[in-house]
mmCIF file of all heavy atoms in Angstrom:
data_model
loop_
_atom_site.group_PDB
_atom_site.id
_atom_site.type_symbol
_atom_site.label_atom_id
_atom_site.label_comp_id
_atom_site.label_asym_id
_atom_site.label_seq_id
_atom_site.Cartn_x
_atom_site.Cartn_y
_atom_site.Cartn_z
ATOM 1 N N MET N 277 -16.014 46.998 15.295
ATOM 2 C CA MET N 277 -15.967 46.021 14.208
ATOM 3 C C MET N 277 -15.129 46.555 13.055
ATOM 4 O O MET N 277 -14.364 45.825 12.425
ATOM 5 C CB MET N 277 -17.380 45.711 13.729
ATOM 6 C CG MET N 277 -17.453 44.758 12.555
ATOM 7 S SD MET N 277 -19.163 44.408 12.090
ATOM 8 C CE MET N 277 -18.908 43.519 10.555
ATOM 9 N N LEU N 278 -15.247 47.835 12.777
ATOM 10 C CA LEU N 278 -14.462 48.460 11.713
ATOM 11 C C LEU N 278 -13.090 48.889 12.220
ATOM 12 O O LEU N 278 -12.079 48.736 11.537
ATOM 13 C CB LEU N 278 -15.210 49.669 11.152
ATOM 14 C CG LEU N 278 -14.502 50.458 10.040
ATOM 15 C CD1 LEU N 278 -14.280 49.565 8.819
ATOM 16 C CD2 LEU N 278 -15.326 51.680 9.649
ATOM 17 N N GLN N 279 -13.051 49.411 13.435
ATOM 18 C CA GLN N 279 -11.812 49.961 13.975
ATOM 19 C C GLN N 279 -10.764 48.883 14.247
ATOM 20 O O GLN N 279 -9.565 49.122 14.084
ATOM 21 C CB GLN N 279 -12.117 50.740 15.264
ATOM 22 C CG GLN N 279 -13.027 51.940 15.048
ATOM 23 C CD GLN N 279 -13.543 52.507 16.358
ATOM 24 O OE1 GLN N 279 -13.373 51.904 17.426
ATOM 25 N NE2 GLN N 279 -14.184 53.664 16.286
ATOM 26 N N GLU N 280 -11.212 47.690 14.686
ATOM 27 C CA GLU N 280 -10.281 46.656 15.124
ATOM 28 C C GLU N 280 -10.109 45.519 14.120
ATOM 29 O O GLU N 280 -9.308 44.616 14.340
ATOM 30 C CB GLU N 280 -10.742 46.084 16.465
ATOM 31 C CG GLU N 280 -10.826 47.131 17.577
ATOM 32 C CD GLU N 280 -11.381 46.552 18.862
ATOM 33 O OE1 GLU N 280 -11.587 45.313 18.918
ATOM 34 O OE2 GLU N 280 -11.629 47.331 19.805
ATOM 35 N N ALA N 281 -10.872 45.540 13.022
ATOM 36 C CA ALA N 281 -10.813 44.439 12.059
ATOM 37 C C ALA N 281 -9.468 44.394 11.337
ATOM 38 O O ALA N 281 -8.844 45.429 11.075
ATOM 39 C CB ALA N 281 -11.944 44.583 11.050
ATOM 40 N N TRP N 282 -9.041 43.182 11.021
ATOM 41 C CA TRP N 282 -7.812 42.982 10.241
ATOM 42 C C TRP N 282 -8.006 43.579 8.849
ATOM 43 O O TRP N 282 -9.008 43.332 8.174
ATOM 44 C CB TRP N 282 -7.514 41.500 10.142
ATOM 45 C CG TRP N 282 -6.205 41.151 9.494
ATOM 46 C CD1 TRP N 282 -5.019 40.915 10.136
ATOM 47 C CD2 TRP N 282 -5.940 40.965 8.089
ATOM 48 N NE1 TRP N 282 -4.038 40.606 9.227
ATOM 49 C CE2 TRP N 282 -4.570 40.633 7.959
ATOM 50 C CE3 TRP N 282 -6.719 41.065 6.946
ATOM 51 C CZ2 TRP N 282 -3.979 40.391 6.728
ATOM 52 C CZ3 TRP N 282 -6.139 40.833 5.712
ATOM 53 C CH2 TRP N 282 -4.780 40.503 5.605
ATOM 54 N N HIS N 283 -7.068 44.390 8.395
ATOM 55 C CA HIS N 283 -7.150 44.962 7.051
ATOM 56 C C HIS N 283 -5.772 45.018 6.389
ATOM 57 O O HIS N 283 -5.529 45.836 5.515
ATOM 58 C CB HIS N 283 -7.779 46.365 7.075
ATOM 59 C CG HIS N 283 -7.082 47.338 7.982
ATOM 60 N ND1 HIS N 283 -7.350 47.409 9.336
ATOM 61 C CD2 HIS N 283 -6.141 48.285 7.728
ATOM 62 C CE1 HIS N 283 -6.602 48.352 9.873
ATOM 63 N NE2 HIS N 283 -5.855 48.890 8.928
ATOM 64 N N GLY N 284 -4.908 44.142 6.822
ATOM 65 C CA GLY N 284 -3.572 44.078 6.249
ATOM 66 C C GLY N 284 -2.606 43.502 7.263
ATOM 67 O O GLY N 284 -2.862 43.502 8.474
ATOM 68 N N GLU N 285 -1.501 42.987 6.802
ATOM 69 C CA GLU N 285 -0.546 42.327 7.689
ATOM 70 C C GLU N 285 -0.142 43.220 8.858
ATOM 71 O O GLU N 285 0.259 44.369 8.669
ATOM 72 C CB GLU N 285 0.687 41.903 6.894
ATOM 73 C CG GLU N 285 1.669 41.072 7.695
ATOM 74 C CD GLU N 285 2.760 40.468 6.842
ATOM 75 O OE1 GLU N 285 2.643 40.528 5.582
ATOM 76 O OE2 GLU N 285 3.734 39.929 7.409
ATOM 77 N N GLY N 286 -0.272 42.681 10.058
ATOM 78 C CA GLY N 286 0.124 43.396 11.263
ATOM 79 C C GLY N 286 -0.918 44.324 11.831
ATOM 80 O O GLY N 286 -0.682 44.941 12.874
ATOM 81 N N THR N 287 -2.087 44.439 11.212
ATOM 82 C CA THR N 287 -3.090 45.396 11.699
ATOM 83 C C THR N 287 -3.894 44.872 12.879
ATOM 84 O O THR N 287 -4.371 45.649 13.704
ATOM 85 C CB THR N 287 -4.052 45.804 10.573
ATOM 86 O OG1 THR N 287 -4.662 44.619 10.027
ATOM 87 C CG2 THR N 287 -3.310 46.552 9.479
ATOM 88 N N SER N 288 -4.091 43.563 12.968
ATOM 89 C CA SER N 288 -4.854 42.991 14.078
ATOM 90 C C SER N 288 -4.537 41.522 14.217
ATOM 91 O O SER N 288 -4.355 40.815 13.218
ATOM 92 C CB SER N 288 -6.359 43.169 13.852
ATOM 93 O OG SER N 288 -7.103 42.528 14.885
ATOM 94 N N ASN N 289 -4.497 41.067 15.461
ATOM 95 C CA ASN N 289 -4.321 39.637 15.727
ATOM 96 C C ASN N 289 -5.458 39.115 16.605
ATOM 97 O O ASN N 289 -5.363 38.043 17.191
ATOM 98 C CB ASN N 289 -2.979 39.377 16.411
ATOM 99 C CG ASN N 289 -2.555 37.917 16.294
ATOM 100 O OD1 ASN N 289 -2.731 37.274 15.260
ATOM 101 N ND2 ASN N 289 -1.992 37.382 17.379
ATOM 102 N N SER N 290 -6.548 39.916 16.688
ATOM 103 C CA SER N 290 -7.668 39.527 17.536
ATOM 104 C C SER N 290 -9.017 39.618 16.830
ATOM 105 O O SER N 290 -10.006 39.095 17.341
ATOM 106 C CB SER N 290 -7.707 40.417 18.785
ATOM 107 O OG SER N 290 -7.847 41.785 18.420
ATOM 108 N N GLN N 291 -9.078 40.267 15.672
ATOM 109 C CA GLN N 291 -10.337 40.447 14.960
ATOM 110 C C GLN N 291 -10.136 40.121 13.487
ATOM 111 O O GLN N 291 -9.267 40.688 12.824
ATOM 112 C CB GLN N 291 -10.811 41.899 15.107
ATOM 113 C CG GLN N 291 -12.034 42.258 14.282
ATOM 114 C CD GLN N 291 -13.278 41.518 14.748
ATOM 115 O OE1 GLN N 291 -13.604 41.526 15.930
ATOM 116 N NE2 GLN N 291 -13.963 40.866 13.829
ATOM 117 N N PHE N 292 -10.933 39.190 12.961
ATOM 118 C CA PHE N 292 -10.774 38.801 11.562
ATOM 119 C C PHE N 292 -11.219 39.928 10.632
ATOM 120 O O PHE N 292 -11.862 40.892 11.049
ATOM 121 C CB PHE N 292 -11.545 37.520 11.267
ATOM 122 C CG PHE N 292 -13.030 37.600 11.513
ATOM 123 C CD1 PHE N 292 -13.879 38.066 10.533
ATOM 124 C CD2 PHE N 292 -13.573 37.198 12.736
ATOM 125 C CE1 PHE N 292 -15.256 38.145 10.741
ATOM 126 C CE2 PHE N 292 -14.945 37.268 12.958
ATOM 127 C CZ PHE N 292 -15.780 37.746 11.969
ATOM 128 N N MET N 293 -10.909 39.810 9.355
ATOM 129 C CA MET N 293 -11.239 40.866 8.402
ATOM 130 C C MET N 293 -12.732 40.866 8.079
ATOM 131 O O MET N 293 -13.410 39.838 8.142
ATOM 132 C CB MET N 293 -10.448 40.696 7.106
ATOM 133 C CG MET N 293 -10.798 39.467 6.298
ATOM 134 S SD MET N 293 -9.877 39.418 4.745
ATOM 135 C CE MET N 293 -10.327 37.781 4.149
ATOM 136 N N ILE N 294 -13.249 42.032 7.745
ATOM 137 C CA ILE N 294 -14.639 42.163 7.340
ATOM 138 C C ILE N 294 -14.772 41.689 5.903
ATOM 139 O O ILE N 294 -14.047 42.128 5.025
ATOM 140 C CB ILE N 294 -15.110 43.625 7.463
ATOM 141 C CG1 ILE N 294 -15.003 44.093 8.913
ATOM 142 C CG2 ILE N 294 -16.531 43.775 6.955
ATOM 143 C CD1 ILE N 294 -15.320 45.550 9.101
ATOM 144 N N SER N 295 -15.696 40.761 5.680
ATOM 145 C CA SER N 295 -15.857 40.194 4.349
ATOM 146 C C SER N 295 -17.291 39.720 4.170
ATOM 147 O O SER N 295 -17.973 39.372 5.150
ATOM 148 C CB SER N 295 -14.897 39.015 4.148
ATOM 149 O OG SER N 295 -15.127 38.376 2.914
ATOM 150 N N ALA N 296 -17.751 39.723 2.931
ATOM 151 C CA ALA N 296 -19.102 39.247 2.642
ATOM 152 C C ALA N 296 -19.203 37.739 2.782
ATOM 153 O O ALA N 296 -20.297 37.198 2.921
ATOM 154 C CB ALA N 296 -19.519 39.670 1.231
ATOM 155 N N SER N 297 -18.088 37.057 2.744
ATOM 156 C CA SER N 297 -18.092 35.601 2.893
ATOM 157 C C SER N 297 -17.025 35.195 3.893
ATOM 158 O O SER N 297 -16.048 35.896 4.105
ATOM 159 C CB SER N 297 -17.822 34.917 1.543
ATOM 160 O OG SER N 297 -16.530 35.238 1.069
ATOM 161 N N THR N 298 -17.223 34.060 4.530
ATOM 162 C CA THR N 298 -16.257 33.564 5.500
ATOM 163 C C THR N 298 -16.091 32.058 5.305
ATOM 164 O O THR N 298 -16.644 31.251 6.062
ATOM 165 C CB THR N 298 -16.670 33.901 6.947
ATOM 166 O OG1 THR N 298 -15.801 33.224 7.868
ATOM 167 C CG2 THR N 298 -18.118 33.527 7.220
ATOM 168 N N ALA N 299 -15.367 31.686 4.250
ATOM 169 C CA ALA N 299 -15.157 30.271 3.943
ATOM 170 C C ALA N 299 -14.467 29.546 5.085
ATOM 171 O O ALA N 299 -14.649 28.347 5.284
ATOM 172 C CB ALA N 299 -14.337 30.144 2.656
ATOM 173 N N ASN N 300 -13.691 30.284 5.858
ATOM 174 C CA ASN N 300 -12.974 29.705 6.993
ATOM 175 C C ASN N 300 -13.889 29.483 8.188
ATOM 176 O O ASN N 300 -13.484 28.928 9.196
ATOM 177 C CB ASN N 300 -11.815 30.629 7.382
ATOM 178 C CG ASN N 300 -10.897 30.026 8.429
ATOM 179 O OD1 ASN N 300 -10.285 28.993 8.199
ATOM 180 N ND2 ASN N 300 -10.814 30.672 9.578
ATOM 181 N N ASN N 301 -15.136 29.960 8.072
ATOM 182 C CA ASN N 301 -16.106 29.868 9.171
ATOM 183 C C ASN N 301 -15.564 30.536 10.433
ATOM 184 O O ASN N 301 -15.495 29.932 11.510
ATOM 185 C CB ASN N 301 -16.471 28.408 9.452
ATOM 186 C CG ASN N 301 -17.712 28.285 10.334
ATOM 187 O OD1 ASN N 301 -18.394 29.274 10.591
ATOM 188 N ND2 ASN N 301 -17.980 27.081 10.803
ATOM 189 N N ASN N 302 -15.190 31.797 10.292
ATOM 190 C CA ASN N 302 -14.661 32.548 11.428
ATOM 191 C C ASN N 302 -15.672 32.709 12.556
ATOM 192 O O ASN N 302 -15.297 32.960 13.706
ATOM 193 C CB ASN N 302 -14.206 33.935 10.965
ATOM 194 C CG ASN N 302 -12.989 33.880 10.067
ATOM 195 O OD1 ASN N 302 -11.983 33.256 10.390
ATOM 196 N ND2 ASN N 302 -13.076 34.521 8.903
ATOM 197 N N LEU N 303 -16.961 32.589 12.230
ATOM 198 C CA LEU N 303 -18.007 32.830 13.223
ATOM 199 C C LEU N 303 -18.430 31.568 13.967
ATOM 200 O O LEU N 303 -19.404 31.587 14.706
ATOM 201 C CB LEU N 303 -19.226 33.460 12.537
ATOM 202 C CG LEU N 303 -19.002 34.864 11.987
ATOM 203 C CD1 LEU N 303 -20.232 35.339 11.227
ATOM 204 C CD2 LEU N 303 -18.663 35.843 13.094
ATOM 205 N N ARG N 304 -17.716 30.478 13.791
ATOM 206 C CA ARG N 304 -18.011 29.267 14.559
ATOM 207 C C ARG N 304 -17.853 29.545 16.052
ATOM 208 O O ARG N 304 -17.166 30.489 16.470
ATOM 209 C CB ARG N 304 -17.091 28.125 14.128
ATOM 210 C CG ARG N 304 -15.644 28.319 14.539
ATOM 211 C CD ARG N 304 -14.723 27.231 14.023
ATOM 212 N NE ARG N 304 -14.416 27.361 12.602
ATOM 213 C CZ ARG N 304 -13.609 26.540 11.951
ATOM 214 N NH1 ARG N 304 -13.025 25.523 12.593
ATOM 215 N NH2 ARG N 304 -13.354 26.727 10.667
ATOM 216 N N ALA N 305 -18.499 28.736 16.892
ATOM 217 C CA ALA N 305 -18.409 28.928 18.344
ATOM 218 C C ALA N 305 -16.956 28.833 18.785
ATOM 219 O O ALA N 305 -16.293 27.826 18.557
ATOM 220 C CB ALA N 305 -19.248 27.873 19.062
ATOM 221 N N SER N 306 -16.460 29.882 19.409
ATOM 222 C CA SER N 306 -15.047 29.919 19.786
ATOM 223 C C SER N 306 -14.830 30.870 20.958
ATOM 224 O O SER N 306 -15.748 31.564 21.409
ATOM 225 C CB SER N 306 -14.193 30.376 18.595
ATOM 226 O OG SER N 306 -14.390 31.765 18.344
ATOM 227 N N SER N 307 -13.598 30.932 21.405
ATOM 228 C CA SER N 307 -13.230 31.806 22.519
ATOM 229 C C SER N 307 -13.364 33.280 22.163
ATOM 230 O O SER N 307 -13.344 34.133 23.042
ATOM 231 C CB SER N 307 -11.794 31.509 22.955
ATOM 232 O OG SER N 307 -10.882 31.675 21.872
ATOM 233 N N TRP N 308 -13.512 33.597 20.878
ATOM 234 C CA TRP N 308 -13.701 34.984 20.448
ATOM 235 C C TRP N 308 -14.957 35.590 21.049
ATOM 236 O O TRP N 308 -15.034 36.781 21.320
ATOM 237 C CB TRP N 308 -13.758 35.037 18.924
ATOM 238 C CG TRP N 308 -14.056 36.382 18.340
ATOM 239 C CD1 TRP N 308 -13.287 37.509 18.422
ATOM 240 C CD2 TRP N 308 -15.212 36.752 17.562
ATOM 241 N NE1 TRP N 308 -13.884 38.553 17.749
ATOM 242 C CE2 TRP N 308 -15.063 38.107 17.213
ATOM 243 C CE3 TRP N 308 -16.332 36.054 17.131
ATOM 244 C CZ2 TRP N 308 -16.023 38.782 16.453
ATOM 245 C CZ3 TRP N 308 -17.273 36.725 16.372
ATOM 246 C CH2 TRP N 308 -17.116 38.083 16.041
ATOM 247 N N TYR N 309 -15.961 34.763 21.289
ATOM 248 C CA TYR N 309 -17.228 35.239 21.837
ATOM 249 C C TYR N 309 -17.184 35.432 23.354
ATOM 250 O O TYR N 309 -18.074 36.063 23.922
ATOM 251 C CB TYR N 309 -18.350 34.249 21.520
ATOM 252 C CG TYR N 309 -18.707 34.128 20.060
ATOM 253 C CD1 TYR N 309 -18.135 33.136 19.259
ATOM 254 C CD2 TYR N 309 -19.637 34.973 19.475
ATOM 255 C CE1 TYR N 309 -18.479 33.001 17.918
ATOM 256 C CE2 TYR N 309 -19.992 34.841 18.139
ATOM 257 C CZ TYR N 309 -19.404 33.863 17.364
ATOM 258 O OH TYR N 309 -19.750 33.750 16.039
ATOM 259 N N ILE N 310 -16.196 34.854 24.005
ATOM 260 C CA ILE N 310 -16.163 34.843 25.466
ATOM 261 C C ILE N 310 -15.629 36.173 26.001
ATOM 262 O O ILE N 310 -14.560 36.631 25.621
ATOM 263 C CB ILE N 310 -15.296 33.689 25.994
ATOM 264 C CG1 ILE N 310 -15.794 32.355 25.437
ATOM 265 C CG2 ILE N 310 -15.301 33.677 27.519
ATOM 266 C CD1 ILE N 310 -17.212 32.009 25.824
ATOM 267 N N GLU N 311 -16.386 36.777 26.923
ATOM 268 C CA GLU N 311 -15.980 38.028 27.541
ATOM 269 C C GLU N 311 -16.203 37.963 29.050
ATOM 270 O O GLU N 311 -17.038 37.199 29.541
ATOM 271 C CB GLU N 311 -16.765 39.203 26.958
ATOM 272 C CG GLU N 311 -16.556 39.426 25.475
ATOM 273 C CD GLU N 311 -17.230 40.701 24.995
ATOM 274 O OE1 GLU N 311 -17.255 41.688 25.763
ATOM 275 O OE2 GLU N 311 -17.751 40.712 23.855
ATOM 276 N N ASP N 312 -15.456 38.779 29.755
ATOM 277 C CA ASP N 312 -15.611 38.889 31.202
ATOM 278 C C ASP N 312 -16.959 39.543 31.500
ATOM 279 O O ASP N 312 -17.230 40.658 31.055
ATOM 280 C CB ASP N 312 -14.466 39.722 31.776
ATOM 281 C CG ASP N 312 -14.521 39.835 33.292
ATOM 282 O OD1 ASP N 312 -15.415 39.218 33.916
ATOM 283 O OD2 ASP N 312 -13.670 40.550 33.862
ATOM 284 N N GLY N 313 -17.818 38.843 32.242
ATOM 285 C CA GLY N 313 -19.144 39.371 32.547
ATOM 286 C C GLY N 313 -19.251 40.052 33.893
ATOM 287 O O GLY N 313 -20.360 40.409 34.323
ATOM 288 N N SER N 314 -18.140 40.271 34.577
ATOM 289 C CA SER N 314 -18.179 40.935 35.881
ATOM 290 C C SER N 314 -18.705 42.363 35.741
ATOM 291 O O SER N 314 -18.420 43.046 34.755
ATOM 292 C CB SER N 314 -16.773 40.972 36.492
ATOM 293 O OG SER N 314 -16.226 39.677 36.604
ATOM 294 N N PHE N 315 -19.482 42.790 36.729
ATOM 295 C CA PHE N 315 -19.965 44.166 36.700
ATOM 296 C C PHE N 315 -20.326 44.644 38.103
ATOM 297 O O PHE N 315 -20.584 43.845 39.010
ATOM 298 C CB PHE N 315 -21.182 44.308 35.780
ATOM 299 C CG PHE N 315 -22.452 43.679 36.304
ATOM 300 C CD1 PHE N 315 -23.330 44.395 37.109
ATOM 301 C CD2 PHE N 315 -22.776 42.361 35.989
ATOM 302 C CE1 PHE N 315 -24.493 43.819 37.592
ATOM 303 C CE2 PHE N 315 -23.946 41.775 36.457
ATOM 304 C CZ PHE N 315 -24.806 42.507 37.265
ATOM 305 N N LEU N 316 -20.328 45.946 38.248
ATOM 306 C CA LEU N 316 -20.829 46.621 39.450
ATOM 307 C C LEU N 316 -21.792 47.692 38.971
ATOM 308 O O LEU N 316 -21.426 48.548 38.169
ATOM 309 C CB LEU N 316 -19.686 47.246 40.246
ATOM 310 C CG LEU N 316 -20.115 48.148 41.413
ATOM 311 C CD1 LEU N 316 -20.895 47.351 42.451
ATOM 312 C CD2 LEU N 316 -18.898 48.811 42.055
ATOM 313 N N ARG N 317 -23.025 47.623 39.459
ATOM 314 C CA ARG N 317 -24.071 48.530 38.964
ATOM 315 C C ARG N 317 -24.666 49.355 40.100
ATOM 316 O O ARG N 317 -24.949 48.827 41.182
ATOM 317 C CB ARG N 317 -25.170 47.726 38.267
ATOM 318 C CG ARG N 317 -26.443 48.500 37.957
ATOM 319 C CD ARG N 317 -27.320 47.731 36.996
ATOM 320 N NE ARG N 317 -26.767 47.792 35.653
ATOM 321 C CZ ARG N 317 -27.211 47.046 34.647
ATOM 322 N NH1 ARG N 317 -28.195 46.193 34.827
ATOM 323 N NH2 ARG N 317 -26.669 47.163 33.445
ATOM 324 N N VAL N 318 -24.843 50.652 39.834
ATOM 325 C CA VAL N 318 -25.613 51.505 40.732
ATOM 326 C C VAL N 318 -27.075 51.270 40.378
ATOM 327 O O VAL N 318 -27.617 51.877 39.452
ATOM 328 C CB VAL N 318 -25.239 52.991 40.571
ATOM 329 C CG1 VAL N 318 -26.049 53.844 41.550
ATOM 330 C CG2 VAL N 318 -23.750 53.188 40.804
ATOM 331 N N LYS N 319 -27.711 50.363 41.111
ATOM 332 C CA LYS N 319 -29.068 49.941 40.771
ATOM 333 C C LYS N 319 -30.094 51.003 41.143
ATOM 334 O O LYS N 319 -30.999 51.302 40.356
ATOM 335 C CB LYS N 319 -29.379 48.629 41.492
ATOM 336 C CG LYS N 319 -30.646 47.943 41.014
ATOM 337 C CD LYS N 319 -30.502 47.442 39.584
ATOM 338 C CE LYS N 319 -31.720 46.669 39.121
ATOM 339 N NZ LYS N 319 -31.595 46.218 37.720
ATOM 340 N N ASN N 320 -29.969 51.533 42.340
ATOM 341 C CA ASN N 320 -30.888 52.580 42.789
ATOM 342 C C ASN N 320 -30.115 53.651 43.561
ATOM 343 O O ASN N 320 -29.215 53.335 44.349
ATOM 344 C CB ASN N 320 -31.994 52.016 43.681
ATOM 345 C CG ASN N 320 -32.995 51.178 42.918
ATOM 346 O OD1 ASN N 320 -33.722 51.687 42.074
ATOM 347 N ND2 ASN N 320 -33.018 49.884 43.214
ATOM 348 N N LEU N 321 -30.486 54.883 43.346
ATOM 349 C CA LEU N 321 -29.877 56.009 44.044
ATOM 350 C C LEU N 321 -30.960 57.048 44.273
ATOM 351 O O LEU N 321 -31.739 57.365 43.362
ATOM 352 C CB LEU N 321 -28.738 56.608 43.220
ATOM 353 C CG LEU N 321 -28.077 57.878 43.776
ATOM 354 C CD1 LEU N 321 -27.315 57.555 45.062
ATOM 355 C CD2 LEU N 321 -27.142 58.478 42.735
ATOM 356 N N GLN N 322 -31.030 57.583 45.490
ATOM 357 C CA GLN N 322 -32.048 58.592 45.781
ATOM 358 C C GLN N 322 -31.521 59.606 46.793
ATOM 359 O O GLN N 322 -30.882 59.239 47.784
ATOM 360 C CB GLN N 322 -33.333 57.953 46.311
ATOM 361 C CG GLN N 322 -34.502 58.912 46.409
ATOM 362 C CD GLN N 322 -35.795 58.229 46.797
ATOM 363 O OE1 GLN N 322 -36.279 58.390 47.920
ATOM 364 N NE2 GLN N 322 -36.369 57.455 45.870
ATOM 365 N N VAL N 323 -31.803 60.863 46.521
ATOM 366 C CA VAL N 323 -31.458 61.961 47.426
ATOM 367 C C VAL N 323 -32.742 62.733 47.711
ATOM 368 O O VAL N 323 -33.476 63.105 46.772
ATOM 369 C CB VAL N 323 -30.398 62.907 46.812
ATOM 370 C CG1 VAL N 323 -30.109 64.057 47.764
ATOM 371 C CG2 VAL N 323 -29.120 62.140 46.492
ATOM 372 N N GLY N 324 -33.035 62.923 48.988
ATOM 373 C CA GLY N 324 -34.281 63.604 49.352
ATOM 374 C C GLY N 324 -34.053 64.766 50.295
ATOM 375 O O GLY N 324 -32.994 64.893 50.930
#
């Protein structure tokens, strides 16, 4: 959130700036929230 946030021209084109207010309503439902949910998990492993 801090590392990728916009903090000046050219610093980020994917994360809005950190601010106490968001008059632009940056947090409205949008594609910003969408992420790839694919995963592969080692659910159980046992060595005997």
Side-chain angles (χ1 to χ4, degrees):
M277 177 178 171
L278 179 62
Q279 297 168 350
E280 300 176 6
W282 186 94
H283 56 276
E285 186 170 349
T287 56
S288 176
N289 199 40
S290 59
Q291 173 66 51
F292 60 86
M293 67 177 173
I294 299 175
S295 174
S297 64
T298 171
N300 188 61
N301 194 9
N302 292 309
L303 293 175
R304 70 184 76 178
S306 72
S307 58
W308 175 64
Y309 293 94
I310 304 299
E311 298 187 35
D312 182 3
S314 303
F315 71 89
L316 172 62
R317 168 167 285 169
V318 181
K319 191 67 176 178
N320 289 294
L321 175 68
Q322 190 174 108
V323 178

